PDB file of all heavy atoms in Angstrom:
ATOM      1  N   THR A   7      51.795 150.918  82.840  1.00 95.00           N
ATOM      2  CA  THR A   7      50.546 150.134  83.108  1.00 95.00           C
ATOM      3  C   THR A   7      49.434 150.624  82.118  1.00 95.00           C
ATOM      4  O   THR A   7      48.741 149.804  81.514  1.00 95.00           O
ATOM      5  CB  THR A   7      50.080 150.313  84.565  1.00 95.00           C
ATOM      6  OG1 THR A   7      51.136 149.822  85.374  1.00 95.00           O
ATOM      7  CG2 THR A   7      48.838 149.556  84.835  1.00 95.00           C
ATOM      8  N   THR A   8      49.270 151.910  81.867  1.00 96.00           N
ATOM      9  CA  THR A   8      48.284 152.477  80.966  1.00 96.00           C
ATOM     10  C   THR A   8      48.580 152.063  79.584  1.00 96.00           C
ATOM     11  O   THR A   8      47.699 151.582  78.900  1.00 96.00           O
ATOM     12  CB  THR A   8      48.272 153.964  81.070  1.00 96.00           C
ATOM     13  OG1 THR A   8      47.908 154.362  82.450  1.00 96.00           O
ATOM     14  CG2 THR A   8      47.315 154.566  80.106  1.00 96.00           C
ATOM     15  N   TRP A   9      49.832 151.964  79.169  1.00 96.00           N
ATOM     16  CA  TRP A   9      50.260 151.581  77.831  1.00 96.00           C
ATOM     17  C   TRP A   9      49.881 150.087  77.659  1.00 96.00           C
ATOM     18  O   TRP A   9      49.282 149.692  76.641  1.00 96.00           O
ATOM     19  CB  TRP A   9      51.692 151.753  77.531  1.00 96.00           C
ATOM     20  CG  TRP A   9      52.125 151.343  76.235  1.00 96.00           C
ATOM     21  CD1 TRP A   9      51.710 151.889  74.965  1.00 96.00           C
ATOM     22  CD2 TRP A   9      53.013 150.276  75.899  1.00 96.00           C
ATOM     23  NE1 TRP A   9      52.336 151.162  73.933  1.00 96.00           N
ATOM     24  CE2 TRP A   9      53.072 150.167  74.467  1.00 96.00           C
ATOM     25  CE3 TRP A   9      53.692 149.347  76.680  1.00 96.00           C
ATOM     26  CZ2 TRP A   9      53.890 149.281  73.880  1.00 96.00           C
ATOM     27  CZ3 TRP A   9      54.574 148.425  76.018  1.00 96.00           C
ATOM     28  CH2 TRP A   9      54.625 148.350  74.601  1.00 96.00           C
ATOM     29  N   PHE A  10      50.259 149.216  78.628  1.00 96.00           N
ATOM     30  CA  PHE A  10      49.920 147.789  78.501  1.00 96.00           C
ATOM     31  C   PHE A  10      48.440 147.574  78.501  1.00 96.00           C
ATOM     32  O   PHE A  10      47.923 146.706  77.792  1.00 96.00           O
ATOM     33  CB  PHE A  10      50.539 147.033  79.721  1.00 96.00           C
ATOM     34  CG  PHE A  10      51.973 146.651  79.458  1.00 96.00           C
ATOM     35  CD1 PHE A  10      52.952 147.113  80.437  1.00 96.00           C
ATOM     36  CD2 PHE A  10      52.373 145.896  78.450  1.00 96.00           C
ATOM     37  CE1 PHE A  10      54.297 146.824  80.192  1.00 96.00           C
ATOM     38  CE2 PHE A  10      53.703 145.532  78.214  1.00 96.00           C
ATOM     39  CZ  PHE A  10      54.618 146.013  79.151  1.00 96.00           C
ATOM     40  N   SER A  11      47.623 148.393  79.273  1.00 96.00           N
ATOM     41  CA  SER A  11      46.236 148.281  79.221  1.00 96.00           C
ATOM     42  C   SER A  11      45.615 148.551  77.804  1.00 96.00           C
ATOM     43  O   SER A  11      44.745 147.890  77.416  1.00 96.00           O
ATOM     44  CB  SER A  11      45.552 149.191  80.232  1.00 96.00           C
ATOM     45  OG  SER A  11      45.939 148.825  81.554  1.00 96.00           O
ATOM     46  N   GLY A  12      46.210 149.452  77.097  1.00 96.00           N
ATOM     47  CA  GLY A  12      45.807 149.785  75.796  1.00 96.00           C
ATOM     48  C   GLY A  12      46.163 148.619  74.719  1.00 96.00           C
ATOM     49  O   GLY A  12      45.413 148.596  73.696  1.00 96.00           O
ATOM     50  N   LEU A  13      47.085 147.795  75.124  1.00 96.00           N
ATOM     51  CA  LEU A  13      47.289 146.631  74.211  1.00 96.00           C
ATOM     52  C   LEU A  13      46.313 145.476  74.406  1.00 96.00           C
ATOM     53  O   LEU A  13      46.226 144.596  73.558  1.00 96.00           O
ATOM     54  CB  LEU A  13      48.757 146.107  74.438  1.00 96.00           C
ATOM     55  CG  LEU A  13      49.890 147.006  74.099  1.00 96.00           C
ATOM     56  CD1 LEU A  13      51.259 146.363  74.486  1.00 96.00           C
ATOM     57  CD2 LEU A  13      49.875 147.364  72.607  1.00 96.00           C
ATOM     58  N   GLY A  14      45.560 145.572  75.477  1.00 96.00           N
ATOM     59  CA  GLY A  14      44.463 144.614  75.676  1.00 96.00           C
ATOM     60  C   GLY A  14      44.875 143.112  75.749  1.00 96.00           C
ATOM     61  O   GLY A  14      45.949 142.780  76.322  1.00 96.00           O
ATOM     62  N   ASP A  15      44.078 142.292  75.010  1.00 96.00           N
ATOM     63  CA  ASP A  15      44.315 140.814  75.080  1.00 96.00           C
ATOM     64  C   ASP A  15      45.629 140.400  74.305  1.00 96.00           C
ATOM     65  O   ASP A  15      45.927 139.247  74.339  1.00 96.00           O
ATOM     66  CB  ASP A  15      43.139 140.096  74.406  1.00 96.00           C
ATOM     67  CG  ASP A  15      41.855 140.247  75.323  1.00 96.00           C
ATOM     68  OD1 ASP A  15      42.084 140.560  76.549  1.00 96.00           O
ATOM     69  OD2 ASP A  15      40.776 139.974  74.805  1.00 96.00           O
ATOM     70  N   SER A  16      46.194 141.357  73.610  1.00 97.00           N
ATOM     71  CA  SER A  16      47.400 140.882  72.873  1.00 97.00           C
ATOM     72  C   SER A  16      48.574 140.735  73.758  1.00 97.00           C
ATOM     73  O   SER A  16      49.594 140.027  73.383  1.00 97.00           O
ATOM     74  CB  SER A  16      47.764 141.893  71.777  1.00 97.00           C
ATOM     75  OG  SER A  16      48.107 143.155  72.338  1.00 97.00           O
ATOM     76  N   VAL A  17      48.560 141.116  75.023  1.00 97.00           N
ATOM     77  CA  VAL A  17      49.623 140.978  75.871  1.00 97.00           C
ATOM     78  C   VAL A  17      49.612 139.512  76.423  1.00 97.00           C
ATOM     79  O   VAL A  17      48.665 139.068  77.090  1.00 97.00           O
ATOM     80  CB  VAL A  17      49.639 141.988  77.074  1.00 97.00           C
ATOM     81  CG1 VAL A  17      50.678 141.669  78.090  1.00 97.00           C
ATOM     82  CG2 VAL A  17      49.607 143.390  76.626  1.00 97.00           C
ATOM     83  N   VAL A  18      50.738 138.752  76.218  1.00 97.00           N
ATOM     84  CA  VAL A  18      50.835 137.391  76.635  1.00 97.00           C
ATOM     85  C   VAL A  18      51.610 137.411  78.071  1.00 97.00           C
ATOM     86  O   VAL A  18      51.236 136.742  78.946  1.00 97.00           O
ATOM     87  CB  VAL A  18      51.712 136.514  75.653  1.00 97.00           C
ATOM     88  CG1 VAL A  18      51.971 135.216  76.185  1.00 97.00           C
ATOM     89  CG2 VAL A  18      50.910 136.398  74.293  1.00 97.00           C
ATOM     90  N   ASP A  19      52.713 138.224  78.095  1.00 96.00           N
ATOM     91  CA  ASP A  19      53.454 138.391  79.235  1.00 96.00           C
ATOM     92  C   ASP A  19      53.988 139.802  79.342  1.00 96.00           C
ATOM     93  O   ASP A  19      54.746 140.216  78.438  1.00 96.00           O
ATOM     94  CB  ASP A  19      54.630 137.342  79.133  1.00 96.00           C
ATOM     95  CG  ASP A  19      55.552 137.349  80.408  1.00 96.00           C
ATOM     96  OD1 ASP A  19      55.425 138.201  81.332  1.00 96.00           O
ATOM     97  OD2 ASP A  19      56.515 136.551  80.341  1.00 96.00           O
ATOM     98  N   ILE A  20      53.546 140.542  80.302  1.00 95.00           N
ATOM     99  CA  ILE A  20      54.056 141.885  80.475  1.00 95.00           C
ATOM    100  C   ILE A  20      55.571 141.959  80.564  1.00 95.00           C
ATOM    101  O   ILE A  20      56.171 142.831  80.134  1.00 95.00           O
ATOM    102  CB  ILE A  20      53.388 142.540  81.751  1.00 95.00           C
ATOM    103  CG1 ILE A  20      51.921 142.901  81.437  1.00 95.00           C
ATOM    104  CG2 ILE A  20      54.114 143.823  82.069  1.00 95.00           C
ATOM    105  CD1 ILE A  20      51.157 143.443  82.628  1.00 95.00           C
ATOM    106  N   GLY A  21      56.110 140.879  81.120  1.00 94.00           N
ATOM    107  CA  GLY A  21      57.593 140.802  81.184  1.00 94.00           C
ATOM    108  C   GLY A  21      58.152 141.405  82.437  1.00 94.00           C
ATOM    109  O   GLY A  21      57.414 141.603  83.419  1.00 94.00           O
ATOM    110  N   ASN A  22      59.418 141.748  82.398  1.00 90.00           N
ATOM    111  CA  ASN A  22      60.131 142.347  83.520  1.00 90.00           C
ATOM    112  C   ASN A  22      61.234 143.162  83.026  1.00 90.00           C
ATOM    113  O   ASN A  22      61.815 142.953  82.011  1.00 90.00           O
ATOM    114  CB  ASN A  22      60.729 141.154  84.386  1.00 90.00           C
ATOM    115  CG  ASN A  22      59.639 140.459  85.155  1.00 90.00           C
ATOM    116  OD1 ASN A  22      59.048 140.848  85.968  1.00 90.00           O
ATOM    117  ND2 ASN A  22      59.519 139.141  84.739  1.00 90.00           N
ATOM    118  N   PRO A  23      61.656 144.074  83.901  1.00 86.00           N
ATOM    119  CA  PRO A  23      62.864 144.814  83.584  1.00 86.00           C
ATOM    120  C   PRO A  23      64.057 143.918  83.937  1.00 86.00           C
ATOM    121  O   PRO A  23      64.005 142.995  84.754  1.00 86.00           O
ATOM    122  CB  PRO A  23      62.834 146.044  84.590  1.00 86.00           C
ATOM    123  CG  PRO A  23      61.935 145.708  85.550  1.00 86.00           C
ATOM    124  CD  PRO A  23      60.970 144.642  85.087  1.00 86.00           C
ATOM    125  N   PHE A  24      65.200 144.160  83.355  1.00 85.00           N
ATOM    126  CA  PHE A  24      66.398 143.377  83.572  1.00 85.00           C
ATOM    127  C   PHE A  24      67.225 144.063  84.715  1.00 85.00           C
ATOM    128  O   PHE A  24      67.232 145.257  84.883  1.00 85.00           O
ATOM    129  CB  PHE A  24      67.306 143.281  82.357  1.00 85.00           C
ATOM    130  CG  PHE A  24      66.650 142.520  81.223  1.00 85.00           C
ATOM    131  CD1 PHE A  24      66.865 142.908  79.920  1.00 85.00           C
ATOM    132  CD2 PHE A  24      65.803 141.458  81.472  1.00 85.00           C
ATOM    133  CE1 PHE A  24      66.307 142.300  78.797  1.00 85.00           C
ATOM    134  CE2 PHE A  24      65.219 140.780  80.353  1.00 85.00           C
ATOM    135  CZ  PHE A  24      65.429 141.150  79.040  1.00 85.00           C
ATOM    136  N   ALA A  25      68.017 143.244  85.449  1.00 82.00           N
ATOM    137  CA  ALA A  25      68.891 143.723  86.452  1.00 82.00           C
ATOM    138  C   ALA A  25      70.304 143.322  86.131  1.00 82.00           C
ATOM    139  O   ALA A  25      70.699 143.591  84.934  1.00 82.00           O
ATOM    140  CB  ALA A  25      68.536 143.230  87.859  1.00 82.00           C
ATOM    141  N   ALA A  26      71.088 142.711  86.965  1.00 81.00           N
ATOM    142  CA  ALA A  26      72.378 142.322  86.697  1.00 81.00           C
ATOM    143  C   ALA A  26      72.485 141.401  85.531  1.00 81.00           C
ATOM    144  O   ALA A  26      71.494 140.709  85.255  1.00 81.00           O
ATOM    145  CB  ALA A  26      73.054 141.646  87.957  1.00 81.00           C
ATOM    146  N   SER A  27      73.618 141.384  84.833  1.00 83.00           N
ATOM    147  CA  SER A  27      73.669 140.543  83.642  1.00 83.00           C
ATOM    148  C   SER A  27      75.101 139.876  83.606  1.00 83.00           C
ATOM    149  O   SER A  27      76.036 140.332  84.234  1.00 83.00           O
ATOM    150  CB  SER A  27      73.471 141.363  82.360  1.00 83.00           C
ATOM    151  OG  SER A  27      74.502 142.333  82.271  1.00 83.00           O
ATOM    152  N   SER A  28      75.195 138.881  82.763  1.00 84.00           N
ATOM    153  CA  SER A  28      76.444 138.170  82.434  1.00 84.00           C
ATOM    154  C   SER A  28      76.408 137.753  81.043  1.00 84.00           C
ATOM    155  O   SER A  28      75.353 137.301  80.490  1.00 84.00           O
ATOM    156  CB  SER A  28      76.576 136.920  83.380  1.00 84.00           C
ATOM    157  OG  SER A  28      77.716 136.285  83.107  1.00 84.00           O
ATOM    158  N   THR A  29      77.513 137.894  80.249  1.00 83.00           N
ATOM    159  CA  THR A  29      77.690 137.451  78.906  1.00 83.00           C
ATOM    160  C   THR A  29      78.440 136.178  78.921  1.00 83.00           C
ATOM    161  O   THR A  29      79.582 136.163  79.382  1.00 83.00           O
ATOM    162  CB  THR A  29      78.239 138.483  78.049  1.00 83.00           C
ATOM    163  OG1 THR A  29      77.502 139.736  78.068  1.00 83.00           O
ATOM    164  CG2 THR A  29      78.354 138.043  76.589  1.00 83.00           C
ATOM    165  N   VAL A  30      77.949 135.130  78.283  1.00 85.00           N
ATOM    166  CA  VAL A  30      78.555 133.900  78.218  1.00 85.00           C
ATOM    167  C   VAL A  30      79.045 133.673  76.795  1.00 85.00           C
ATOM    168  O   VAL A  30      78.318 133.779  75.854  1.00 85.00           O
ATOM    169  CB  VAL A  30      77.658 132.717  78.627  1.00 85.00           C
ATOM    170  CG1 VAL A  30      78.357 131.343  78.549  1.00 85.00           C
ATOM    171  CG2 VAL A  30      77.171 133.007  80.086  1.00 85.00           C
ATOM    172  N   ALA A  31      80.335 133.376  76.608  1.00 85.00           N
ATOM    173  CA  ALA A  31      80.894 133.066  75.328  1.00 85.00           C
ATOM    174  C   ALA A  31      81.784 131.900  75.438  1.00 85.00           C
ATOM    175  O   ALA A  31      81.946 131.309  76.611  1.00 85.00           O
ATOM    176  CB  ALA A  31      81.737 134.284  74.825  1.00 85.00           C
ATOM    177  N   ALA A  32      82.421 131.454  74.393  1.00 90.00           N
ATOM    178  CA  ALA A  32      83.281 130.176  74.434  1.00 90.00           C
ATOM    179  C   ALA A  32      84.349 130.321  75.426  1.00 90.00           C
ATOM    180  O   ALA A  32      84.696 129.316  76.011  1.00 90.00           O
ATOM    181  CB  ALA A  32      83.922 129.949  73.072  1.00 90.00           C
ATOM    182  N   GLY A  33      84.864 131.521  75.754  1.00 86.00           N
ATOM    183  CA  GLY A  33      85.944 131.727  76.704  1.00 86.00           C
ATOM    184  C   GLY A  33      85.491 131.818  78.173  1.00 86.00           C
ATOM    185  O   GLY A  33      86.278 132.029  79.029  1.00 86.00           O
ATOM    186  N   GLY A  34      84.171 131.757  78.341  1.00 84.00           N
ATOM    187  CA  GLY A  34      83.634 131.848  79.726  1.00 84.00           C
ATOM    188  C   GLY A  34      82.635 132.946  79.870  1.00 84.00           C
ATOM    189  O   GLY A  34      82.189 133.527  78.914  1.00 84.00           O
ATOM    190  N   ALA A  35      82.341 133.291  81.094  1.00 83.00           N
ATOM    191  CA  ALA A  35      81.292 134.292  81.408  1.00 83.00           C
ATOM    192  C   ALA A  35      81.928 135.553  81.835  1.00 83.00           C
ATOM    193  O   ALA A  35      82.934 135.575  82.532  1.00 83.00           O
ATOM    194  CB  ALA A  35      80.318 133.811  82.464  1.00 83.00           C
ATOM    195  N   THR A  36      81.318 136.679  81.500  1.00 81.00           N
ATOM    196  CA  THR A  36      81.824 138.046  81.830  1.00 81.00           C
ATOM    197  C   THR A  36      80.508 138.708  82.477  1.00 81.00           C
ATOM    198  O   THR A  36      79.564 138.887  81.857  1.00 81.00           O
ATOM    199  CB  THR A  36      82.308 138.791  80.718  1.00 81.00           C
ATOM    200  OG1 THR A  36      83.309 138.133  80.021  1.00 81.00           O
ATOM    201  CG2 THR A  36      82.827 140.215  81.101  1.00 81.00           C
ATOM    202  N   GLU A  37      80.755 139.145  83.746  1.00 80.00           N
ATOM    203  CA  GLU A  37      79.606 139.873  84.385  1.00 80.00           C
ATOM    204  C   GLU A  37      79.642 141.292  83.969  1.00 80.00           C
ATOM    205  O   GLU A  37      80.628 141.824  83.569  1.00 80.00           O
ATOM    206  CB  GLU A  37      79.716 139.724  85.935  1.00 80.00           C
ATOM    207  CG  GLU A  37      79.453 138.288  86.420  1.00 80.00           C
ATOM    208  CD  GLU A  37      79.289 138.226  87.884  1.00 80.00           C
ATOM    209  OE1 GLU A  37      78.931 139.229  88.487  1.00 80.00           O
ATOM    210  OE2 GLU A  37      79.470 137.129  88.375  1.00 80.00           O
ATOM    211  N   GLY A  38      78.465 141.908  84.085  1.00 70.00           N
ATOM    212  CA  GLY A  38      78.312 143.348  83.720  1.00 70.00           C
ATOM    213  C   GLY A  38      78.377 143.585  82.221  1.00 70.00           C
ATOM    214  O   GLY A  38      79.103 144.397  81.679  1.00 70.00           O
ATOM    215  N   ALA A  39      77.533 142.836  81.546  1.00 63.00           N
ATOM    216  CA  ALA A  39      77.574 142.920  80.025  1.00 63.00           C
ATOM    217  C   ALA A  39      77.288 144.358  79.624  1.00 63.00           C
ATOM    218  O   ALA A  39      76.706 145.128  80.388  1.00 63.00           O
ATOM    219  CB  ALA A  39      76.428 141.948  79.497  1.00 63.00           C
ATOM    220  N   THR A  40      77.739 144.763  78.447  1.00 68.00           N
ATOM    221  CA  THR A  40      77.563 146.109  77.933  1.00 68.00           C
ATOM    222  C   THR A  40      76.284 146.371  77.170  1.00 68.00           C
ATOM    223  O   THR A  40      76.077 147.447  76.724  1.00 68.00           O
ATOM    224  CB  THR A  40      78.809 146.464  77.029  1.00 68.00           C
ATOM    225  OG1 THR A  40      78.803 145.550  75.978  1.00 68.00           O
ATOM    226  CG2 THR A  40      80.133 146.439  77.844  1.00 68.00           C
ATOM    227  N   SER A  41      75.419 145.380  77.189  1.00 74.00           N
ATOM    228  CA  SER A  41      74.101 145.596  76.516  1.00 74.00           C
ATOM    229  C   SER A  41      73.313 146.667  77.178  1.00 74.00           C
ATOM    230  O   SER A  41      73.372 146.856  78.334  1.00 74.00           O
ATOM    231  CB  SER A  41      73.335 144.266  76.493  1.00 74.00           C
ATOM    232  OG  SER A  41      72.042 144.416  76.002  1.00 74.00           O
TER     233      SER A  41
END
């Protein structure tokens, strides 16, 4: 929060952390991506 405050008006969207994931490729989706 302190770091974001230092960025001031340049912050458009603080964003969010990521949770569960799925990787989609031509062969279908795989849960638990390795990213």
Side-chain angles (χ1 to χ4, degrees):
T7 300
T8 299
W9 179 68
F10 279 120
S11 294
L13 294 175
D15 292 343
S16 64
V17 177
V18 174
D19 180 356
I20 287 175
N22 290 292
F24 297 145
S27 65
S28 180
T29 299
V30 180
T36 304
E37 290 191 24
T40 59
S41 173

